[in-house]
């Protein structure tokens, strides 16, 4: 089947902006609602990246952040609890993740499994997630369904425990066990982060176990242990509800007050203070796994989230391993020693870790010891090379653009507001974050390299295919500590101190939806080029971004049977060099523009 060039389609989406969001401020900051306390309002400013919002706190401690965005008839609701696996106790790991499951199993006024049904039948989507530091539950629904979602979220915050039965507990315990088996124990490289965490952190450190926890712990606890954990951490004073989209601020506040205001606050919550980790010498640890490619990671403990040195360390990671012009790519991928390399610094509330890693091409004949040497020599090469002028230009542009691209949806803006409020105590963090990166100098990058990386101890983790231990970087000099055994729990229902909300309305009645709003589709224009390319475009003013997509009818449908997969291979090749530009040149120029490109093949 021949390719018809006239079907070549090019789509442009253009966006320009002065500030993220329009100034549609009402008198909501001057509203007087008993039990609702106004904290602050941030308005859009010309020339600045700002997510406008209004912040309130209820008398019971619940933080409320509202962002009005009338561009689409949608709302996104995020309820973030400042509790993750870091709040768990030794012998009771996995509770925060366990409760993520339990929160979808029904509450006092919502039937079993009804939460999913109600949201999806309302035309929405929903999910939840747990990490080491927070748990969040979120929904995106048509704006006329907002009151119903607030009713649902309030019911599981204030009226969950009576619906947590022994039967549900046992079902979800087995579900979590199966999840661990699928995602951790029986997945290639699945136990990597668990082994790294055990080697990096001292015994008892809240990051020394995975979010999903140990099955030995979940087997020992009972349903009352889980309820006790909920009563400790899931009160309104340890939560932030962030609502964004097509909302009326005054009406939304009234609904929040109605459904959440009578829920009693929980015990006082204070921030965890844990000293930063440092290693005096390298810790080698290794494992066999059902994998094809050997993997090595060199992991340095560094700082923690929002630390002054975090931006410089992140930029250092980009220089070493981001893009086809990076040092690790040049020394390992271009030489065909590795099929993939990376250098990243994921950060959490209590610590950040600096990863240098590679998946090794077995055909290269190199062991992980050889690759470790190459990685360490790459660090020495960086030390001699220093930070070049282009490095900071392209990396700052890319990081700033990533921040802005994340604001293209109401969900992206709400998620960012919720994150900053939870970890910075103010939702107004995006401009501060961008400014921190723009302030980094090349001297800062070299300083953090010398302080946190050069001559510092690291965990060096080797994962090799089963039966190929001769490929590891070095013999293990670190023994993984045994899981601490805690006696079987005897927590009883009498040990629980329940908090009962008292209402003046009937919570069993689910709110009905208001009239739905029509979608205001932005105007589009069409044009064509002399060579037959058709052009379709539109303009938006929500974020300062430009996006372009080119669609070519040349996917799997057009392949010959004996050459199946050709279109996918062609898509991969389009990410490589051209006659005029190398892959490294294209990667460098795109990063300077703060841009990214991807090519994929479909039918």
């Amino acid at each position: 089947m021949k390719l018809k060039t006239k079907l070549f389609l090019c789509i442009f989406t253009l966006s320009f902006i002065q500030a993220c969001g329009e100034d549609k401020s009402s008198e909501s900051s001057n509203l007087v609602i008993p039990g609702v306390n106004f904290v602050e309002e941030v308005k859009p400013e010309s020339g600045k990246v700002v997510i406008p919002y209004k912040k309130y706190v209820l008398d019971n401690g619940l933080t409320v952040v509202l962002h009005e965005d009338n561009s689409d008839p949608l709302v996104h609701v995020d309820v973030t609890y400042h509790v993750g696996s870091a709040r768990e106790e030794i012998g009771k790991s996995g509770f925060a993740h366990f409760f993520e499951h339990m929160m979808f199993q029904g509450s006092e006024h919502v039937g079993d499994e009804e939460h999913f049904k109600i949201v999806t039948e309302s035309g929405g989507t929903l999910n939840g997630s747990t990490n080491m530091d927070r748990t969040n539950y979120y929904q995106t629904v048509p704006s006329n369904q907002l009151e119903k979602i607030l009713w649902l979220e309030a019911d599981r915050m204030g009226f969950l425990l009576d619906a947590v039965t022994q039967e549900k507990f046992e079902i979800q315990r087995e579900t979590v066990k199966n999840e661990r088996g699928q995602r951790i124990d029986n997945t290639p490289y699945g136990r990597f982060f668990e082994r790294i965490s055990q080697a990096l952190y001292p015994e008892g450190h809240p990051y020394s176990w995975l979010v999903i926890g140990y099955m030995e712990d979940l087997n020992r606890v009972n349903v009352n242990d889980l309820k006790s954990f909920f009563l400790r951490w899931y009160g309104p004073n340890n939560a932030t509800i962030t609502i964004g989209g097509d909302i009326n601020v005054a009406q939304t506040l009234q609904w929040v007050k109605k459904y959440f205001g009578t829920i009693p606050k929980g015990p006082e919550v204070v921030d965890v203070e844990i000293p930063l980790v440092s290693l005096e010498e390298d810790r080698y640890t290794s494992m066999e796994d059902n994998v094809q490619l050997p993997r090595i990671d060199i992991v340095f403990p560094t700082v923690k989230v929002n630390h002054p040195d975090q931006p410089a360390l992140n930029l250092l990671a980009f220089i070493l391993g981001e893009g086809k012009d990076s040092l690790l790519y040049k020394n390992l991928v271009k030489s065909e020693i590795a099929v993939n390399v990376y250098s990243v610094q994921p950060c959490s509330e209590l610590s950040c870790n600096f990863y240098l890693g590679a998946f090794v091409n077995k055909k290269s004949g190199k062991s992980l010891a050889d690759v470790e040497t190459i990685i360490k020599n790459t660090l020495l090469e960086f030390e001699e090379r220093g930070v070049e002028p282009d490095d900071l230009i392209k990396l700052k542009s890319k990081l700033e653009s990533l921040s802005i691209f994340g604001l293209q949806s109401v969900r992206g803006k709400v998620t960012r507001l919720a994150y900053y409020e939870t970890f910075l105590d103010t939702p107004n963090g995006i401009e501060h974050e961008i400014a921190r990166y723009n302030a980094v100098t090349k001297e800062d990058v070299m300083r953090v390299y010398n302080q946190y990386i050069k001559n510092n101890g690291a965990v060096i983790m080797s994962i090799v295919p089963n039966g190929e231990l001769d490929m590891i970087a070095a013999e293990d000099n670190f023994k993984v500590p045994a899981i601490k055994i805690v006696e079987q729990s005897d927590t009883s229902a009498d040990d629980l101190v329940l908090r009962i909300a008292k209402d003046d309305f009937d919570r069993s009645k689910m709110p009905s939806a208001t009239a739905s709003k029509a979608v205001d589709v932005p105007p589009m224009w069409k044009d064509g080029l002399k060579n037959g390319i058709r052009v379709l475009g539109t303009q938006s003013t929500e974020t300062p971004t430009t996006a372009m997509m080119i669609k070519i009818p040349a996917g799997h449908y057009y392949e010959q049977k004996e050459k199946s997969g050709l279109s996918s291979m062609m898509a991969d090749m389009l990410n490589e060099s051209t006659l005029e530009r190398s892959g490294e040149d294209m990667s460098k120029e795109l990063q300077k523009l703060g841009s990214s490109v991807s090519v994929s093949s479909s039918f």
Side-chain angles (χ1 to χ4, degrees):
M1 187 177 293
K2 294 184 179 180
L3 173 65
K4 298 179 180 179
T5 55
K6 289 186 179 181
L7 295 180
F8 190 105
L9 179 64
C10 185
I11 300 178
F12 296 83
T13 304
L14 307 177
S15 304
F16 308 94
I17 196 171
Q18 289 184 329
C20 292
E22 301 176 57
D23 188 0
K24 295 189 176 182
S25 303
S26 62
E27 298 300 320
S28 56
S29 58
N30 298 321
L31 289 172
V32 178
I33 301 177
V36 179
N37 308 288
F38 173 74
V39 178
E40 64 176 347
E41 177 178 6
V42 170
K43 298 181 179 181
E45 296 182 50
S46 180
K48 292 187 177 181
V49 180
V50 177
I51 310 175
Y53 68 87
K54 298 179 178 71
K55 176 180 173 181
Y56 305 83
V57 176
L58 304 190
D59 284 350
N60 61 6
L62 176 67
T63 299
V64 183
V65 179
L66 303 180
H67 165 67
E68 190 172 357
D69 176 359
N70 306 111
S71 58
D72 296 300
L74 295 172
V75 293
H76 185 79
V77 179
D78 178 292
V79 179
T80 296
Y81 296 91
H82 197 169
V83 56
S85 58
R87 302 282 196 184
E88 296 163 353
E89 303 173 21
I90 296 176
K92 295 183 179 180
S93 64
F95 274 30
H97 172 257
F98 199 149
F99 240 104
E100 180 196 325
H101 286 250
M102 296 303 301
M103 292 279 263
F104 288 102
Q105 302 309 305
S107 49
E108 185 174 333
H109 307 103
V110 181
D112 297 354
E113 306 290 343
E114 283 292 304
H115 199 117
F116 283 101
K117 182 180 179 181
I118 291 171
V119 174
T120 54
E121 288 183 349
S122 299
T125 60
L126 73 162
N127 214 330
S129 68
T130 307
N131 64 25
M132 294 181 291
D133 304 313
R134 64 101 187 101
T135 303
N136 72 336
Y137 303 90
Y138 50 90
Q139 294 95 170
T140 304
V141 294
S143 55
N144 64 318
Q145 303 286 343
L146 175 58
E147 184 182 6
K148 187 182 299 181
I149 298 306
L150 297 178
W151 171 76
L152 281 169
E153 285 292 357
D155 209 61
R156 60 181 176 186
M157 178 185 287
F159 302 88
L160 182 79
L161 292 189
D162 286 345
V164 177
T165 64
Q166 184 68 36
E167 180 182 7
K168 290 182 184 178
F169 172 78
E170 296 297 347
I171 290 172
Q172 293 308 312
R173 174 152 55 184
E174 291 305 310
T175 300
V176 172
K177 289 181 183 179
N178 290 335
E179 183 179 345
R180 177 175 170 108
Q182 292 174 359
R183 293 173 48 194
I184 307 296
D185 298 326
N186 297 305
T187 296
Y189 311 105
R191 290 173 290 165
F192 165 77
F193 283 108
E194 183 168 73
R195 182 65 66 85
I196 288 288
S197 299
Q198 292 168 333
L200 268 174
Y201 301 109
E203 185 178 3
H205 191 287
Y207 288 172
S208 64
W209 56 80
L210 292 185
V211 172
I212 201 167
Y214 296 123
M215 293 305 96
E216 293 86 347
D217 289 346
L218 291 178
N219 284 334
R220 284 192 296 268
V221 301
N222 64 43
V223 66
N224 292 313
D225 288 309
L226 202 68
K227 291 183 177 182
S228 178
F229 186 80
F230 178 88
L231 289 168
R232 176 65 186 91
W233 299 111
Y234 290 79
N237 52 308
N238 196 36
T240 297
I241 181 168
T242 309
I243 305 167
D246 188 23
I247 64 173
N248 177 287
V249 171
Q251 178 62 79
T252 302
L253 277 178
Q254 293 282 2
W255 284 334
V256 171
K257 168 64 189 317
K258 175 180 179 179
Y259 295 112
F260 290 89
T262 60
I263 300 173
K265 66 171 57 179
E268 182 183 1
V269 176
V270 296
D271 291 338
V272 178
E273 292 293 338
I274 300 289
L276 291 175
V277 172
S278 62
L279 302 177
E280 295 182 0
E281 60 182 3
D282 289 340
R283 291 182 176 179
Y284 286 89
T285 183
S286 63
M287 62 182 296
E288 297 176 275
D289 202 354
N290 187 25
V291 298
Q292 296 296 318
L293 300 177
R295 172 181 180 176
I296 183 171
D297 282 80
I298 303 176
V299 187
F300 298 88
T302 55
V303 292
K304 61 181 179 180
V305 74
N306 207 41
H307 188 282
D309 288 340
Q310 180 192 351
L313 283 161
N314 284 347
L315 290 174
L316 172 63
F318 271 74
I319 293 170
L320 291 172
E322 175 70 19
K324 294 180 179 180
D325 59 331
S326 69
L327 296 176
L328 285 175
Y329 187 92
K330 173 179 71 72
N331 293 339
L332 286 168
V333 178
K334 288 201 70 174
S335 61
E336 299 184 354
I337 295 172
V339 298
N340 187 29
V341 294
Y342 46 89
S343 175
V344 294
Q345 186 193 228
C347 276
S348 299
E349 188 172 18
L350 304 180
S351 76
C352 306
N353 298 312
F354 195 102
Y355 286 75
L356 301 164
F359 289 86
V360 178
N361 178 8
K362 291 178 67 176
K363 293 183 179 180
S364 69
K366 300 292 186 182
S367 69
L368 295 185
D370 298 325
V371 176
E372 179 193 358
T373 299
I374 295 172
I375 293 175
K376 290 184 173 179
N377 286 340
T378 300
L379 294 177
L380 296 177
E381 180 183 353
F382 165 76
E383 191 174 338
E384 295 178 2
R385 165 191 181 272
V387 179
E388 297 180 347
D390 277 357
D391 289 337
L392 295 185
I393 294 173
K394 68 183 182 181
L395 298 178
K396 289 178 180 181
S397 296
K398 181 167 185 176
L399 289 169
E400 183 170 351
S401 68
L402 287 174
S403 296
I404 295 172
F405 276 121
L407 306 181
Q408 291 182 316
S409 69
V410 65
R411 174 181 171 179
K413 287 181 279 189
V414 167
T415 300
R416 191 65 63 87
L417 290 169
Y419 172 84
Y420 289 132
E421 171 59 31
T422 301
F423 298 110
L424 301 183
D425 294 324
T426 174
N428 190 25
I430 187 166
E431 189 176 25
H432 166 70
E433 191 74 6
I434 292 173
R436 289 205 308 152
Y437 281 94
N438 285 334
V440 174
T441 66
K442 62 181 182 180
E443 289 78 14
D444 291 326
V445 176
M446 295 307 300
R447 176 181 55 78
V448 297
Y449 167 77
N450 288 313
Q451 182 175 347
Y452 300 102
I453 307 301
K454 182 179 179 181
N455 297 326
N456 281 26
V459 171
I460 302 174
M461 175 75 182
S462 302
I463 300 181
V464 296
N466 290 323
E468 299 185 27
L469 278 175
D470 57 323
M471 289 196 67
I472 64 175
E475 291 296 322
D476 291 7
N477 64 358
F478 173 79
K479 183 178 180 180
V480 176
I483 299 174
K484 189 173 183 179
I485 302 299
V486 177
E487 295 181 1
Q488 195 79 19
S489 173
D490 59 356
T491 304
S492 69
D494 294 336
D495 298 323
L496 305 178
V497 180
L498 301 179
R499 302 188 296 271
I500 309 299
K502 296 180 180 180
D503 296 312
D504 58 2
F505 67 98
D506 187 358
R507 280 190 185 264
S508 65
K509 294 182 179 180
M510 181 173 66
S512 57
T514 58
S516 60
K517 295 184 178 181
V519 177
D520 185 14
V521 179
M524 306 191 77
W525 52 267
K526 294 182 179 181
D527 205 339
L529 304 182
K530 292 181 180 180
N531 59 4
I533 296 176
R534 294 183 294 173
V535 182
L536 178 66
T538 187
Q539 184 173 0
S540 171
T541 58
E542 288 193 43
T543 57
T545 58
T546 301
M548 180 177 70
M549 179 171 66
I550 301 175
K551 296 187 70 174
I552 306 172
H556 180 69
Y557 176 77
Y558 295 89
E559 294 175 355
Q560 299 176 6
K561 182 177 180 181
E562 62 272 15
K563 296 182 180 179
S564 178
L566 188 62
S567 61
S568 179
M569 184 179 296
M570 173 59 71
D572 291 338
M573 292 302 297
L574 288 172
N575 282 315
E576 299 299 325
S577 59
T578 68
L579 290 176
E580 295 185 2
R581 293 179 179 85
S582 68
E584 291 87 341
D585 291 338
M586 289 191 290
S587 176
K588 183 181 295 185
E589 292 305 314
L590 284 169
Q591 289 187 64
K592 282 183 180 179
L593 296 172
S595 304
S596 61
V597 63
S598 63
V599 183
S600 62
S601 175
S602 63
F603 289 95

